[in-house]
């Protein structure tokens, strides 16, 4: 009888040991899957940071300079907002569209040489549909010429602590036709610029979160190029996403700087050189899901594991 009891006890102890080993392995795998598995990103460079602390959460080739296309307009936005805050510019101030601005290629709003628009209309035209003619008109109005405005952009880049790799060549992010030059930035620098933009001028989110807007000028309707604002698209939708700036040229590929806020936590993501417009938004969703741990919480998994352990313990007790 005693031998039988000892044998039963050893079997029970072995079963318990095996159970806890399995639980430990399962817990490790769940933690790794939920918190350690890096997202799959098709972009050639990408980064995810905390918008409050600047902590880097994910990084892929963040220190190589690449063309950034219209994401460079975030610096144009920064300088416009800075001039408004300093009183050197007002939202209701009128801007006369120059010949150069009117004939700027690429994305645009329907304006012609000699038209007069308020700064607000031009800013929204630049922020939502990424209008290059609106960006040039603002640059010329602020600095007298786009060339002088570019000097201001590069000076501000140094002031904000961006690396020497960041070099702006125009206010739009377009490839220069005459020289073939592009505005170049690293993913880390793009994220740093977005960090300063949303923290120094949080009102930018009042504009970047808008899907469509009717300008005062001729009641023109403009639409955001940020497809992630359309919550009806489950492939792109990220809860709390409210910005920030798309970009595309043949040299840059499809780019996007995104930002989202949820439960008191704001994140900023950057993807550069995604192969398609859909891929840049899918890459962004993957980064945001990684940053927000968009899966059942760790506490849920632990609770489930220990519930199973308790159930197994009861069954072993009954067997013994």
């Amino acid at each position: 009888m005693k031998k039988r009891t000892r044998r039963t006890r050893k079997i029970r102890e072995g079963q318990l040991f095996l159970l806890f080993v399995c639980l430990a392995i399962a817990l490790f795998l769940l933690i790794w899957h939920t918190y350690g598995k890096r997202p799959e990103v098709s972009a050639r460079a990408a980064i995810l940071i905390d918008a409050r602390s600047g902590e880097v959460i994910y990084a892929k080739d963040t220190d190589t300079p690449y063309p950034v296309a219209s994401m460079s307009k975030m610096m144009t936005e920064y300088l416009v907002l800075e001039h408004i805050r300093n009183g050197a510019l007002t939202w209701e101030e009128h801007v006369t569209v120059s010949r150069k601005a009117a004939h700027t290629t690429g994305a645009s709003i329907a304006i012609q040489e000699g038209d007069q628009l308020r700064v607000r209309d031009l800013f929204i035209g630049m922020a939502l549909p990424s209008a290059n003619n609106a960006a040039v008109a603002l640059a010329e109005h602020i600095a007298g010429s786009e060339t002088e405005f570019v000097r201001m952009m590069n000076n501000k880049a140094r002031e904000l602590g961006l690396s020497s790799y960041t070099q702006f060549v125009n206010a739009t992010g377009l490839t220069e036709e005459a020289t073939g030059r592009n505005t170049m930035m690293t993913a880390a620098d793009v994220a740093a610029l977005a960090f300063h933009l949303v923290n120094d001028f949080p009102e930018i989110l009042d504009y970047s979160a808008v899907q469509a807007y009717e300008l005062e000028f001729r009641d023109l309707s403009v639409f955001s190029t940020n497809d992630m604002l359309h919550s009806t698209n489950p492939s792109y939708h990220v809860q709390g996403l409210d910005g920030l700036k798309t970009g595309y040229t043949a040299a840059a590929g499809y780019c996007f700087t995104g930002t989202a806020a949820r439960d008191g936590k704001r994140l900023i993501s950057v993807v550069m050189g995604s192969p398609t417009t859909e891929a840049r938004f899918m890459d962004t969703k993957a980064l945001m899901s990684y940053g927000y741990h968009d899966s059942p919480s760790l506490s849920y998994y632990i609770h489930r594991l220990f519930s199973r352990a308790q159930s197994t313990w009861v069954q072993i007790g009954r067997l013994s």
Side-chain angles (χ1 to χ4, degrees):
M1 184 69 178
K2 288 183 180 180
K3 288 182 179 180
R4 187 176 182 182
T5 302
R6 282 198 297 269
R7 189 183 308 113
T8 301
R9 187 182 297 115
K10 286 182 179 180
I11 292 172
R12 182 181 178 184
E13 289 173 352
Q15 289 174 324
L16 287 174
F17 176 75
L18 182 61
L19 171 65
F20 281 110
V21 168
C22 291
L23 285 174
I25 293 173
L27 185 58
F28 170 79
L29 291 175
L30 284 170
I31 292 172
W32 176 82
H33 177 77
T34 306
Y35 292 93
K37 187 179 179 181
R38 288 168 59 84
E40 295 182 4
V41 175
S42 64
R44 59 185 171 190
I47 191 170
L48 178 70
I49 67 170
D50 186 293
R52 177 173 295 179
S53 66
E55 174 193 359
V56 176
I57 302 168
Y58 172 93
K60 175 184 178 182
D61 195 14
T62 57
D63 296 322
T64 302
Y66 293 111
V68 292
S70 285
M71 292 196 301
S72 66
K73 288 189 178 83
M74 288 190 292
M75 181 60 85
T76 306
E77 292 172 344
Y78 189 99
L79 289 171
V80 171
L81 293 170
E82 185 176 62
H83 276 69
I84 288 173
R85 178 171 294 177
N86 293 341
L89 192 67
T90 69
W91 285 119
E92 301 307 313
E93 191 170 328
H94 280 84
V95 176
T96 301
V97 179
S98 72
R99 179 177 177 81
K100 178 182 179 181
H103 289 84
T104 302
T105 59
S108 63
I109 54 175
I111 56 178
Q112 299 176 353
E113 181 182 356
D115 285 342
Q116 290 192 333
L117 287 80
R118 289 180 172 85
V119 168
R120 189 185 303 275
D121 275 359
L122 288 170
F123 188 87
I124 293 171
M126 174 177 63
L128 271 65
S130 199
N132 296 314
N133 51 5
V136 173
L138 286 168
E140 292 178 331
H141 185 72
I142 289 172
S145 70
E146 187 178 12
T147 299
E148 181 60 20
F149 189 80
V150 169
R151 186 188 66 80
M152 295 170 60
M153 295 173 81
N154 285 311
N155 286 344
K156 184 57 66 174
R158 305 292 87 78
E159 184 182 320
L160 296 178
L162 306 190
S163 77
S164 59
Y165 288 122
T166 287
Q167 295 292 328
F168 294 94
V169 301
N170 51 42
T172 61
L174 289 170
T175 301
E176 290 281 281
E177 292 183 4
T179 64
R181 293 190 306 155
N182 289 282
T183 290
M184 304 292 287
M185 299 180 73
T186 66
D189 281 350
V190 177
L193 175 57
F195 176 89
H196 286 290
L197 182 59
V198 300
N199 284 288
D200 295 349
F201 302 103
E203 60 266 32
I204 186 61
L205 300 171
D206 296 333
Y207 298 97
S208 65
V210 175
Q211 297 181 33
Y213 192 92
E214 188 175 280
L215 305 182
E216 289 186 24
F217 180 75
R218 296 177 182 170
D219 297 328
L220 287 176
S221 294
V222 295
F223 303 91
S224 176
T225 54
N226 178 6
D227 292 347
M228 297 190 78
L229 295 175
H230 304 292
S231 60
T232 55
N233 188 337
S235 299
Y236 298 160
H237 178 58
V238 170
Q239 181 185 347
L241 189 132
D242 52 5
L244 192 56
K245 191 69 196 74
T246 59
Y248 171 79
T249 61
Y254 293 90
C255 307
F256 183 55
T257 299
T259 186
R262 189 189 309 174
D263 301 325
K265 180 181 181 181
R266 177 170 291 280
L267 298 177
I268 294 170
S269 63
V270 176
V271 294
M272 302 175 68
S274 292
T276 65
T277 188
E278 294 83 7
R280 64 180 166 185
F281 298 129
M282 294 299 293
D283 285 345
T284 299
K285 180 171 182 176
L287 291 172
M288 290 293 181
S289 297
Y290 179 67
Y292 283 118
H293 310 306
D294 283 345
S295 58
S297 67
L298 180 61
S299 60
Y300 164 82
Y301 284 123
I302 293 174
H303 177 76
R304 188 175 68 176
L305 285 168
F306 278 94
S307 294
R308 289 181 177 178
Q310 186 179 29
S311 175
T312 305
W313 183 289
V314 171
Q315 291 180 359
I316 292 173
R318 287 173 178 171
L319 289 174
S320 61

